[in-house]
Amino acid sequence: MTAADRDDAMTTGSPFVPDTSLPLIDVSIAEHLRHQAETFPDRPALIWDDGGVRTLDYRQLLAAVEALAVELAGLADPGDRIAVWSANSPQWVILECACALSATVVTGFNTAWSDAEVSHALDLTAPKALFVAEDNRGVDLRPRAARLAGARSHCQVIDLAGVETEAAPSGAARVLPRPGPDDAFLIQFTSGTTGRAKGAVLSHRTVLNAGYFRAVAVGADPTDVWVNPSPLHHMGGSVSMVFAAFSTGGCYVVLPRFSPAYQVDLMRRVGATRTGGVPTMLYALLEVPGFEEVLKSIRSVGLGGTSVAPSLVERLQSYGANVSISYGQSECPAVSNTPDWADAETAASTVGTITSHTELRLLGPDGSPVGPGRIGEVCVRSPFTMIGYHDMPEVTAQTIDPEGFLHTGDLGSLDERGLLRIQGRVREMIIRGGENIYPIEVEDVLLRHPAVEAVAVIGTPSERWGEEVAAVVRPAPGLAVTAEELEAHAGSALAHFKVPRQWRFVESFPLTASGKIRKVELGALFG
């Protein structure tokens, strides 16, 4: 997109003309995996720790995937769902790819879900099989799975640990279905922080290219080794990480759970070149002796999921790491990425430039486009958006408009450089005395205080103002700070009505499995 195109789009509110100079990978995941096995047969594809480092090259990975795909094709028809409920494992990755080759649809269940949440997912997706093992704490999920799925005659419970990680090439591809790039591949559940989780249906093309363009954004190549603790039931794991590696011929390293010291040790042993996570993970990793040395070999650190403090970006950059902030959601895994020219302030305060092949609109409350610098709902149309919510046509129609634009529910603004800044969620906006306040703007200011490691801003009921601004703060280790100090700090950069007047200090936040703060639970702190 030229500067003139951008200026015209920002003036008229029309969609950005997408950059299509780099073509999409326009094949199914099944076809692409076979291509990679032919192109990079001896290159490491999958690594995990099994009392020692185990490796499958692309030829071996394809053989294991094809063997399982034949089994899946025997118990499910193309388009049927296959669920997996387990911590990260090599078997999880092999199963995901086997679903691609058998034309079935994989859906990951959150290991932190309650029985009610699992039952909802089982009823919604009606999987033909539920592959199950242990959660990320080592608790065996098999007894719960037998009880919950056993009551549903359509669902067979299978031990994920029994999936073979090694198999001889068999020519099985000849008897398998051949899905197309537009066919459904993944049902990605939304985080479900409010209401029941919905299942976003993503196609082969969407998943493969979301990973590919994420890799392209950071200059990845076949020599890369990706180590990231994101859970595979989350889009950041099963899409962004697995297919960032596989789409470019790189290597994905399985981390069963987030354990800072273990991760640093494994990164050293496997020669990691890419890593990332949510900010809380990176803070924990920086406290591990030796991580600074490991960072010297890291080509990029990916961050996302929540607000990022500039001081964290600066600290990572001081060790030579390129920091990239990505923005996406279950319904659209790839929206934007930090450009390589961004400094720490730009990287931390924006989510970068719009991903290739993506049209963007920012819409005001009345549904009309807003101009440059104005805040509106982020709406995108691209090959990376979902097909729709599984078995929820009415909700899908409320989310994807007749022109094909996905309404993300996120508020954003665009500056003259084409950088997108997320201003919060449509439903999170605080209205104090008639003034609209975006929590993320306040959070960004508070994160610039050296004694603040993490913060969440919410609205609390107020008889006088309707809502009052409240902040929950986790201080940085070894540093103390008072509400009065933070009010003065916020007041130096914000209008008086945006400054929090209610404060709580905590040692930890309630988090989703993907590391996002559960803001809905914070209101209880204020009585």
PDB file of all heavy atoms in Angstrom, residues 69-89:
ATOM      1  N   ALA A  69      -3.520 -40.430  10.786  1.00  0.00           N
ATOM      2  CA  ALA A  69      -4.603 -39.967   9.920  1.00  0.00           C
ATOM      3  C   ALA A  69      -5.417 -41.141   9.378  1.00  0.00           C
ATOM      4  O   ALA A  69      -6.644 -41.046   9.238  1.00  0.00           O
ATOM      5  CB  ALA A  69      -4.042 -39.133   8.768  1.00  0.00           C
ATOM      6  N   VAL A  70      -4.757 -42.238   9.066  1.00  0.00           N
ATOM      7  CA  VAL A  70      -5.471 -43.427   8.599  1.00  0.00           C
ATOM      8  C   VAL A  70      -6.420 -43.928   9.685  1.00  0.00           C
ATOM      9  O   VAL A  70      -7.565 -44.305   9.410  1.00  0.00           O
ATOM     10  CB  VAL A  70      -4.478 -44.527   8.182  1.00  0.00           C
ATOM     11  CG1 VAL A  70      -5.208 -45.846   7.920  1.00  0.00           C
ATOM     12  CG2 VAL A  70      -3.708 -44.099   6.946  1.00  0.00           C
ATOM     13  N   GLU A  71      -5.948 -43.924  10.945  1.00  0.00           N
ATOM     14  CA  GLU A  71      -6.817 -44.347  12.048  1.00  0.00           C
ATOM     15  C   GLU A  71      -8.007 -43.402  12.205  1.00  0.00           C
ATOM     16  O   GLU A  71      -9.141 -43.839  12.424  1.00  0.00           O
ATOM     17  CB  GLU A  71      -6.014 -44.408  13.347  1.00  0.00           C
ATOM     18  CG  GLU A  71      -4.919 -45.467  13.356  1.00  0.00           C
ATOM     19  CD  GLU A  71      -4.196 -45.521  14.688  1.00  0.00           C
ATOM     20  OE1 GLU A  71      -4.811 -45.151  15.714  1.00  0.00           O
ATOM     21  OE2 GLU A  71      -3.014 -45.916  14.712  1.00  0.00           O
ATOM     22  N   LEU A  72      -7.751 -42.087  12.111  1.00  0.00           N
ATOM     23  CA  LEU A  72      -8.837 -41.120  12.241  1.00  0.00           C
ATOM     24  C   LEU A  72      -9.867 -41.291  11.125  1.00  0.00           C
ATOM     25  O   LEU A  72     -11.077 -41.191  11.361  1.00  0.00           O
ATOM     26  CB  LEU A  72      -8.281 -39.690  12.209  1.00  0.00           C
ATOM     27  CG  LEU A  72      -7.393 -39.253  13.374  1.00  0.00           C
ATOM     28  CD1 LEU A  72      -6.945 -37.808  13.172  1.00  0.00           C
ATOM     29  CD2 LEU A  72      -8.106 -39.394  14.705  1.00  0.00           C
ATOM     30  N   ALA A  73      -9.387 -41.556   9.921  1.00  0.00           N
ATOM     31  CA  ALA A  73     -10.312 -41.735   8.798  1.00  0.00           C
ATOM     32  C   ALA A  73     -11.191 -42.964   8.986  1.00  0.00           C
ATOM     33  O   ALA A  73     -12.283 -43.046   8.401  1.00  0.00           O
ATOM     34  CB  ALA A  73      -9.522 -41.846   7.497  1.00  0.00           C
ATOM     35  N   GLY A  74     -10.746 -43.901   9.827  1.00  0.00           N
ATOM     36  CA  GLY A  74     -11.534 -45.089  10.096  1.00  0.00           C
ATOM     37  C   GLY A  74     -12.621 -44.879  11.123  1.00  0.00           C
ATOM     38  O   GLY A  74     -13.560 -45.687  11.204  1.00  0.00           O
ATOM     39  N   LEU A  75     -12.504 -43.802  11.924  1.00  0.00           N
ATOM     40  CA  LEU A  75     -13.525 -43.568  12.958  1.00  0.00           C
ATOM     41  C   LEU A  75     -14.319 -42.287  12.750  1.00  0.00           C
ATOM     42  O   LEU A  75     -15.281 -42.028  13.476  1.00  0.00           O
ATOM     43  CB  LEU A  75     -12.887 -43.594  14.355  1.00  0.00           C
ATOM     44  CG  LEU A  75     -11.843 -42.540  14.730  1.00  0.00           C
ATOM     45  CD1 LEU A  75     -12.492 -41.296  15.299  1.00  0.00           C
ATOM     46  CD2 LEU A  75     -10.878 -43.116  15.764  1.00  0.00           C
ATOM     47  N   ALA A  76     -13.934 -41.475  11.777  1.00  0.00           N
ATOM     48  CA  ALA A  76     -14.648 -40.214  11.544  1.00  0.00           C
ATOM     49  C   ALA A  76     -14.660 -39.900  10.055  1.00  0.00           C
ATOM     50  O   ALA A  76     -13.715 -40.233   9.323  1.00  0.00           O
ATOM     51  CB  ALA A  76     -13.989 -39.075  12.317  1.00  0.00           C
ATOM     52  N   ASP A  77     -15.714 -39.260   9.598  1.00  0.00           N
ATOM     53  CA  ASP A  77     -15.832 -38.828   8.212  1.00  0.00           C
ATOM     54  C   ASP A  77     -15.259 -37.426   8.051  1.00  0.00           C
ATOM     55  O   ASP A  77     -15.118 -36.676   9.034  1.00  0.00           O
ATOM     56  CB  ASP A  77     -17.300 -38.821   7.791  1.00  0.00           C
ATOM     57  CG  ASP A  77     -17.910 -40.207   7.768  1.00  0.00           C
ATOM     58  OD1 ASP A  77     -17.187 -41.165   7.428  1.00  0.00           O
ATOM     59  OD2 ASP A  77     -19.112 -40.326   8.101  1.00  0.00           O
ATOM     60  N   PRO A  78     -14.914 -37.026   6.833  1.00  0.00           N
ATOM     61  CA  PRO A  78     -14.459 -35.650   6.612  1.00  0.00           C
ATOM     62  C   PRO A  78     -15.462 -34.638   7.181  1.00  0.00           C
ATOM     63  O   PRO A  78     -16.670 -34.767   6.987  1.00  0.00           O
ATOM     64  CB  PRO A  78     -14.378 -35.554   5.083  1.00  0.00           C
ATOM     65  CG  PRO A  78     -14.062 -36.954   4.649  1.00  0.00           C
ATOM     66  CD  PRO A  78     -14.849 -37.831   5.592  1.00  0.00           C
ATOM     67  N   GLY A  79     -14.946 -33.657   7.891  1.00  0.00           N
ATOM     68  CA  GLY A  79     -15.790 -32.641   8.510  1.00  0.00           C
ATOM     69  C   GLY A  79     -16.197 -32.952   9.929  1.00  0.00           C
ATOM     70  O   GLY A  79     -16.648 -32.063  10.660  1.00  0.00           O
ATOM     71  N   ASP A  80     -16.044 -34.221  10.358  1.00  0.00           N
ATOM     72  CA  ASP A  80     -16.331 -34.571  11.755  1.00  0.00           C
ATOM     73  C   ASP A  80     -15.284 -33.947  12.669  1.00  0.00           C
ATOM     74  O   ASP A  80     -14.141 -33.706  12.266  1.00  0.00           O
ATOM     75  CB  ASP A  80     -16.332 -36.088  11.946  1.00  0.00           C
ATOM     76  CG  ASP A  80     -17.597 -36.750  11.419  1.00  0.00           C
ATOM     77  OD1 ASP A  80     -18.592 -36.032  11.229  1.00  0.00           O
ATOM     78  OD2 ASP A  80     -17.572 -37.979  11.203  1.00  0.00           O
ATOM     79  N   ARG A  81     -15.663 -33.712  13.914  1.00  0.00           N
ATOM     80  CA  ARG A  81     -14.753 -33.087  14.863  1.00  0.00           C
ATOM     81  C   ARG A  81     -13.966 -34.123  15.668  1.00  0.00           C
ATOM     82  O   ARG A  81     -14.497 -35.187  16.036  1.00  0.00           O
ATOM     83  CB  ARG A  81     -15.515 -32.179  15.844  1.00  0.00           C
ATOM     84  CG  ARG A  81     -15.778 -30.787  15.318  1.00  0.00           C
ATOM     85  CD  ARG A  81     -16.810 -30.731  14.236  1.00  0.00           C
ATOM     86  NE  ARG A  81     -18.100 -31.244  14.702  1.00  0.00           N
ATOM     87  CZ  ARG A  81     -19.068 -31.661  13.904  1.00  0.00           C
ATOM     88  NH1 ARG A  81     -18.893 -31.678  12.589  1.00  0.00           N
ATOM     89  NH2 ARG A  81     -20.217 -32.092  14.395  1.00  0.00           N
ATOM     90  N   ILE A  82     -12.716 -33.796  15.943  1.00  0.00           N
ATOM     91  CA  ILE A  82     -11.834 -34.579  16.808  1.00  0.00           C
ATOM     92  C   ILE A  82     -11.347 -33.634  17.898  1.00  0.00           C
ATOM     93  O   ILE A  82     -10.696 -32.628  17.610  1.00  0.00           O
ATOM     94  CB  ILE A  82     -10.630 -35.156  16.041  1.00  0.00           C
ATOM     95  CG1 ILE A  82     -11.094 -36.041  14.875  1.00  0.00           C
ATOM     96  CG2 ILE A  82      -9.716 -35.925  16.999  1.00  0.00           C
ATOM     97  CD1 ILE A  82     -11.823 -37.297  15.294  1.00  0.00           C
ATOM     98  N   ALA A  83     -11.667 -33.935  19.156  1.00  0.00           N
ATOM     99  CA  ALA A  83     -11.291 -33.057  20.266  1.00  0.00           C
ATOM    100  C   ALA A  83     -10.038 -33.574  20.957  1.00  0.00           C
ATOM    101  O   ALA A  83      -9.762 -34.780  20.956  1.00  0.00           O
ATOM    102  CB  ALA A  83     -12.437 -32.956  21.270  1.00  0.00           C
ATOM    103  N   VAL A  84      -9.292 -32.660  21.550  1.00  0.00           N
ATOM    104  CA  VAL A  84      -8.104 -33.034  22.319  1.00  0.00           C
ATOM    105  C   VAL A  84      -8.094 -32.208  23.597  1.00  0.00           C
ATOM    106  O   VAL A  84      -8.294 -31.000  23.584  1.00  0.00           O
ATOM    107  CB  VAL A  84      -6.807 -32.845  21.487  1.00  0.00           C
ATOM    108  CG1 VAL A  84      -6.701 -31.431  20.927  1.00  0.00           C
ATOM    109  CG2 VAL A  84      -5.575 -33.180  22.312  1.00  0.00           C
ATOM    110  N   TRP A  85      -7.858 -32.905  24.716  1.00  0.00           N
ATOM    111  CA  TRP A  85      -7.901 -32.278  26.043  1.00  0.00           C
ATOM    112  C   TRP A  85      -6.653 -32.707  26.793  1.00  0.00           C
ATOM    113  O   TRP A  85      -6.597 -33.788  27.368  1.00  0.00           O
ATOM    114  CB  TRP A  85      -9.174 -32.735  26.776  1.00  0.00           C
ATOM    115  CG  TRP A  85      -9.517 -31.960  28.009  1.00  0.00           C
ATOM    116  CD1 TRP A  85      -9.175 -30.682  28.314  1.00  0.00           C
ATOM    117  CD2 TRP A  85     -10.306 -32.428  29.104  1.00  0.00           C
ATOM    118  NE1 TRP A  85      -9.690 -30.308  29.522  1.00  0.00           N
ATOM    119  CE2 TRP A  85     -10.402 -31.366  30.027  1.00  0.00           C
ATOM    120  CE3 TRP A  85     -10.947 -33.638  29.386  1.00  0.00           C
ATOM    121  CZ2 TRP A  85     -11.092 -31.482  31.233  1.00  0.00           C
ATOM    122  CZ3 TRP A  85     -11.641 -33.756  30.571  1.00  0.00           C
ATOM    123  CH2 TRP A  85     -11.719 -32.686  31.490  1.00  0.00           C
ATOM    124  N   SER A  86      -5.638 -31.890  26.747  1.00  0.00           N
ATOM    125  CA  SER A  86      -4.337 -32.285  27.284  1.00  0.00           C
ATOM    126  C   SER A  86      -3.405 -31.086  27.319  1.00  0.00           C
ATOM    127  O   SER A  86      -3.598 -30.102  26.610  1.00  0.00           O
ATOM    128  CB  SER A  86      -3.729 -33.377  26.391  1.00  0.00           C
ATOM    129  OG  SER A  86      -2.376 -33.623  26.700  1.00  0.00           O
ATOM    130  N   ALA A  87      -2.375 -31.223  28.136  1.00  0.00           N
ATOM    131  CA  ALA A  87      -1.267 -30.272  28.084  1.00  0.00           C
ATOM    132  C   ALA A  87      -0.514 -30.465  26.772  1.00  0.00           C
ATOM    133  O   ALA A  87      -0.710 -31.458  26.060  1.00  0.00           O
ATOM    134  CB  ALA A  87      -0.331 -30.507  29.276  1.00  0.00           C
ATOM    135  N   ASN A  88       0.353 -29.537  26.448  1.00  0.00           N
ATOM    136  CA  ASN A  88       1.163 -29.635  25.238  1.00  0.00           C
ATOM    137  C   ASN A  88       1.974 -30.930  25.232  1.00  0.00           C
ATOM    138  O   ASN A  88       2.538 -31.328  26.265  1.00  0.00           O
ATOM    139  CB  ASN A  88       2.128 -28.457  25.141  1.00  0.00           C
ATOM    140  CG  ASN A  88       1.422 -27.132  24.933  1.00  0.00           C
ATOM    141  OD1 ASN A  88       0.197 -27.070  24.851  1.00  0.00           O
ATOM    142  ND2 ASN A  88       2.195 -26.060  24.853  1.00  0.00           N
ATOM    143  N   SER A  89       2.058 -31.550  24.070  1.00  0.00           N
ATOM    144  CA  SER A  89       2.840 -32.778  23.917  1.00  0.00           C
ATOM    145  C   SER A  89       3.119 -32.993  22.446  1.00  0.00           C
ATOM    146  O   SER A  89       2.417 -32.434  21.578  1.00  0.00           O
ATOM    147  CB  SER A  89       2.071 -33.989  24.477  1.00  0.00           C
ATOM    148  OG  SER A  89       0.945 -34.293  23.665  1.00  0.00           O
TER     149      SER A  89
END
